[in-house]
Amino acid sequence: MKKYRKQPYDVANIRRLLEPGPVVLVSSAWQGRTNIMTMGWHMMIGFTPALFGCYIDESNHSYDMVVSSGECVINLPTADLLEQVIGIGNCSGANTDKFSLFGLTALPGEEVAAPLIAECYASFECRLADAKPNPNHPLFVWEVVRAHVATTPRLPKTLHYRGDGEFMVSGREIATLERYPNQRR
Amino acid sequence: MKKYRKQPYDVANIRRLLEPGPVVLVSSAWQGRTNIMTMGWHMMIGFTPALFGCYIDESNHSYDMVVSSGECVINLPTADLLEQVIGIGNCSGANTDKFSLFGLTALPGEEVAAPLIAECYASFECRLADAKPNPNHPLFVWEVVRAHVATTPRLPKTLHYRGDGEFMVSGREIATLERYPNQRR
């Protein structure tokens, strides 16, 4: 698997990668163990600070790890990681070392103890801003405190889950700023 | 503009259209007026009941309308509605009748007073389940109470916003259930 060479990236711009709705890999660390989960239920919540919201069901092994550590890394896999994305989403960190099983490389973060995944196009280091912002739903609000993004290709081919084992792969890009120069951000 | 012929659709399956992260058009009605806003910050939160979360900033004219009425319709536009999506996102319902200005057709809902947009591929009638669950963020949790989805094409070409006037258009589909039959939902 290819490891992407990454550059520091302005956290205020991470929506350029996350807002289109790709499947992400959430990595975490707690008490000497790491884990990874596949996640499709997330959204942007703010630019500055860079806030990212997501749903992590309590049945996931990662739930306790991110609640206990108050940290995670949101990693953006490209379409060539399809098998890893499916595999990671269908086994449990309770009895599996997912980095080892799926041949992924854990890299140290700068701000958090949770590991970055070297084979992903981008990695966003997150600190918990709000755990369970709504008592009725296992929702999390994260502040992205550091972003690492590959410089090539300019934009990644990402996987977007539809359920029932079906994925949409990101397609063509349309730039409209020239035609509509006064667009809101 | 084409009007999609729609069929009733199981609300427990709406993630098949929303989870990939498309831009949606939120329609609302309050005190005899209607409005539409373009929205990219949203996510799935539950299957049964079908829950949908989103961020609607208080600066939007739609904010007061959806809070006051406790209802909205989430409409899914296809890529051929690019100009309408941009136009709707860059003017205000405070001084614009967006249905009229953008040539869109308002259809009555079955469960809510907010109108459906006939030119969209799908329309999801929503009732507010939790308004402002977190005082720090204008997050909404909606229950989708009725879904209307076109039957052809099988899956729509949707727009996914990247910011800075750039849109990703949904690309190819990969079905993996045959290869990995025991996937989680």
Side-chain angles (χ1 to χ4, degrees), chain A residues 17-78:
Chain A
L17 296 164
L18 293 172
E19 189 169 331
V23 162
V24 296
L25 297 175
V26 185
S27 48
S28 53
W30 180 242
Q31 294 185 330
R33 297 189 58 186
T34 62
N35 196 25
I36 315 176
M37 73 172 277
T38 299
M39 180 170 78
W41 291 11
H42 60 73
M43 68 182 191
M44 290 300 307
I45 292 184
F47 294 121
T48 312
L51 296 177
F52 176 78
C54 71
Y55 177 104
I56 300 180
D57 198 79
E58 290 153 30
S59 63
N60 289 289
H61 187 66
S62 292
Y63 180 89
D64 287 331
M65 297 184 65
V66 301
V67 168
S68 300
S69 65
E71 298 177 349
C72 75
V73 176
I74 303 296
N75 303 275
L76 182 61
T78 42

Side-chain angles (χ1 to χ4, degrees), chain B residues 45-167:
Chain B
I45 292 184
F47 294 121
T48 312
L51 297 177
F52 176 78
C54 71
Y55 177 104
I56 299 179
D57 198 79
E58 291 154 31
S59 63
N60 289 288
H61 186 67
S62 292
Y63 179 89
D64 287 331
M65 297 184 65
V66 301
V67 168
S68 301
S69 65
E71 299 177 348
C72 75
V73 176
I74 303 297
N75 302 275
L76 182 61
T78 41
D80 52 299
L81 294 185
L82 177 65
E83 293 209 20
Q84 287 76 17
V85 164
I86 295 173
I88 289 166
N90 286 281
C91 64
S92 172
N95 49 26
T96 311
D97 176 339
K98 298 198 192 181
F99 274 97
S100 165
L101 181 61
F102 296 103
L104 297 171
T105 309
L107 296 177
E110 294 172 18
E111 301 277 345
V112 303
L116 285 58
I117 302 175
E119 289 79 7
C120 284
Y121 179 88
S123 294
F124 306 116
E125 300 184 38
C126 297
R127 272 213 203 92
L128 199 50
D130 265 309
K132 294 206 76 170
N134 184 320
N136 301 319
H137 313 286
L139 300 177
F140 292 79
V141 178
W142 300 96
E143 180 177 350
V144 177
V145 293
R146 191 79 68 161
H148 314 266
V149 176
T151 51
T152 175
R154 186 180 76 87
L155 290 169
K157 284 289 171 194
T158 45
L159 294 166
H160 299 248
Y161 196 48
R162 288 199 186 276
D164 299 338
E166 197 166 336
F167 293 83

